[in-house]
Amino acid sequence: MAAAAPQPSAATPPPSRSFKFHGRTFLAFVLKPEMPIGRWIDEADSWLSRSPGFFSAKPVVVDVSRLLLTKGKLAKLIADLGSRGIRVMGLLGADPAWVDADLPPVLTPGRAMEPETSRETCEAPAPVKPASSSLVIDSHVRSGQTLFHDGDLTIIGSVSSGAEIVATGSIHIYGALRGRVLAGADGNTAAHIFCRRLAGELVAIDGYYRMAEDFPSDLLEEPAHVSLEDGVLTIKALD
Amino acid sequence: MAQVVVVTSGKGGVGKTTTTAALGAALAQTGQRVAVVDFDVGLRNLDLVLGAERRVVYDLIYVSQGNVKLSQALIRDKRLETLYLLAASQTRDKDALTDEGVAKVMGELRESFDWIICDSPAGIERGATLAMRHADIAVVVTNPEVSSVRDSDRIVGLLDAKTDMAARGERMEKHLLLTRYDPVRAGRGDMLNVDDVIDILSLPLLGIIPESEEVLRASNLGAPVTISNTKSAPARAYSDAAQRLMGEDVPMVFPSDRSGLFGKLFGRRAA
């Protein structure tokens, strides 16, 4: 960012607030080419012939930390990949001094993750998530028991102190909620928790949680409805 | 048909052994043939409470390993001729008990007794799960305080998961026995009251045993409280509980904070 920012003159309107930015992490594929580059490109070609278009429209980062490259060779590698439909959005382990308009930006090392879709080709249909189901438990959930359900969960009974129930959808408890109850476990912010008596240790939706001491005191032992409103875990009376 | 009852609690010191002895004696007093079995291998106490500690020759482990016959290990009570004790081993550890061995002993006991009452060790480990495994009925002993109630709740979960009945998809009959209940302290709020405990555990109430010096005295005398002082409040409460276990409808007596512990009679019945 060497360019000097234009000085606002008295004539220009005050800068609008629409220009904002914030940090965010994303998932990307990381390619690790190996020396010699020529052979690695051949292997990539044979792999791509089996899964053509696998990398198209996917974010790809190239890790060059194990390569001995000059800037010219690196530019050629990026161009070779580009001609195969692999658009490189960033570099790992490259010399920051090389970076200019021709080369993608250098990224600081991120966290390694298991690529979940590495065996799929782009022709393969995206895996259809099974429609989440409802589960009804016709008993109490006792202390020390844990329950996980992918979908909505209804308990016709109480959830004891020391019990934990987790669901990806909403959770309905027709008895007392005394344990730990976590709804929307895989990022479902629209999940809710309902209970006939709020006396729990912890309630959470999509990772936003509240401990018992933060529960509204007028709702203790009362019917309650827990939801996420604008990123705030809200506990209201259930009328 | 023989009924196997496990007396269990999770927490230690709440009165499992006292209850096993008292219920066993109360059932035997009605003429039923009763065997009480100590599963607390390594920390046996039931023989002391029954006053039979000097008469233990063989124990549960000998029988379960097939070294002696069941009849050689059973100790007949000197006061009640239908009450028998199968003691635990004090010198072995609980790994000496095997599932097959316990199943064999339970099978033999079922042939010759009306009631087999298993005194579970505290905790949720092997000894406790073996004691509950073959049971038909559970008596969950709970003190009116939060840690005991939570541990009992945990045990109830295990009764529905780790027993033969649960494996067959049946639901075990479970009863709550509230022990060491002090109406004065419950009234002051120092203890949970009866309704709180029933509300949390959601189990039918088998009885409420009032806190009493009689219980301690009986243990030290080596006699179940239902034998040592049949007129005492805890003895009557245990006898009522035994009657309810046999399916009789006995009105529940709630210990009150009046001078007479049985001053108040509520209309509530055991569920």
Side-chain angles (χ1 to χ4, degrees), chain A residues 138-145 158 160-162 176 178 197 201 221, chain B residues 150-151 153-158 160-161 171 174 199-203:
Chain A
D138 191 9
S139 69
H140 301 286
V141 184
R142 300 283 180 177
S143 184
Q145 295 179 327
S158 296
S160 290
S161 162
R178 298 193 182 94
R197 258 173 75 188
E201 295 163 347
E221 303 288 332
Chain B
R150 179 189 279 181
D151 291 359
D153 197 46
R154 180 89 168 91
I155 281 289
V156 173
L158 294 180
D160 286 334
R171 181 152 290 198
K174 296 177 281 286
D199 181 44
I200 293 172
L201 290 178
S202 306
L203 293 181

Side-chain angles (χ1 to χ4, degrees), chain B residues 26-193:
Chain B
L27 288 167
Q29 279 164 341
T30 68
Q32 301 272 305
R33 287 176 60 79
V34 180
V36 290
V37 184
D38 193 347
F39 272 83
D40 205 347
V41 177
L43 286 170
R44 76 175 194 211
N45 284 146
L46 190 56
D47 54 327
L48 286 171
V49 175
L50 285 167
E53 70 274 16
R54 292 169 198 280
R55 300 167 58 208
V56 178
V57 182
Y58 299 115
D59 55 47
L60 174 61
I61 299 218
Y62 281 95
V63 188
S64 73
Q65 294 180 341
N67 297 331
V68 301
K69 286 199 280 256
L70 178 63
S71 56
Q72 291 175 279
L74 282 170
I75 303 163
R76 180 193 273 194
D77 189 84
K78 286 190 166 167
R79 297 147 296 204
L80 292 167
E81 60 179 23
T82 56
L83 178 63
Y84 289 80
L85 165 69
L86 182 54
S89 170
Q90 182 71 350
T91 51
R92 312 288 284 274
D93 78 34
K94 57 184 179 295
D95 295 332
L97 273 185
T98 61
D99 200 8
E100 303 76 45
V102 172
K104 180 177 85 81
V105 177
M106 286 294 146
E108 287 181 36
L109 285 167
R110 277 178 192 274
E111 286 168 18
S112 36
F113 288 94
D114 302 313
W115 295 89
I116 299 127
I117 306 185
C118 304
D119 182 20
S120 170
I124 54 174
E125 272 81 32
R126 185 180 172 77
T129 49
L130 277 177
M132 70 172 67
R133 176 95 81 221
H134 306 278
D136 308 308
I137 302 173
V139 172
V140 179
V141 180
T142 306
N143 289 171
E145 47 111 7
V146 284
S147 60
S148 174
V149 172
R150 179 189 279 181
D151 291 359
S152 292
D153 197 46
R154 180 89 168 91
I155 281 289
V156 173
L158 294 180
L159 289 168
D160 286 334
K162 294 207 166 181
T163 54
D164 281 353
M165 284 191 90
R168 293 196 298 265
E170 299 169 40
R171 181 152 290 198
M172 188 182 290
E173 181 183 331
K174 296 177 281 286
H175 298 275
L176 169 64
L177 187 74
L178 203 56
T179 54
R180 309 197 66 171
Y181 187 76
D182 184 338
V184 177
R185 293 177 61 197
R188 282 205 305 260
D190 299 348
M191 271 185 172
L192 296 175
N193 66 41

Side-chain angles (χ1 to χ4, degrees), chain A residues 85-156:
Chain A
I86 302 175
R87 284 189 299 174
V88 179
M89 61 169 275
L91 297 172
L92 275 178
D95 186 344
W98 294 347
V99 173
D100 56 20
D102 299 333
L103 286 178
V106 177
L107 304 177
T108 50
R111 210 152 37 101
M113 294 188 73
E114 281 298 309
E116 290 168 24
T117 54
S118 59
R119 289 183 183 279
E120 285 170 37
T121 66
C122 70
E123 282 83 8
V128 180
K129 209 179 162 196
S132 52
S133 58
S134 290
L135 177 68
V136 177
I137 303 289
D138 191 9
S139 69
H140 301 286
V141 184
R142 300 283 180 177
S143 184
Q145 295 179 327
T146 58
L147 203 59
F148 174 81
H149 177 62
D150 187 9
D152 287 352
L153 183 55
T154 304
I155 314 275
I156 306 178

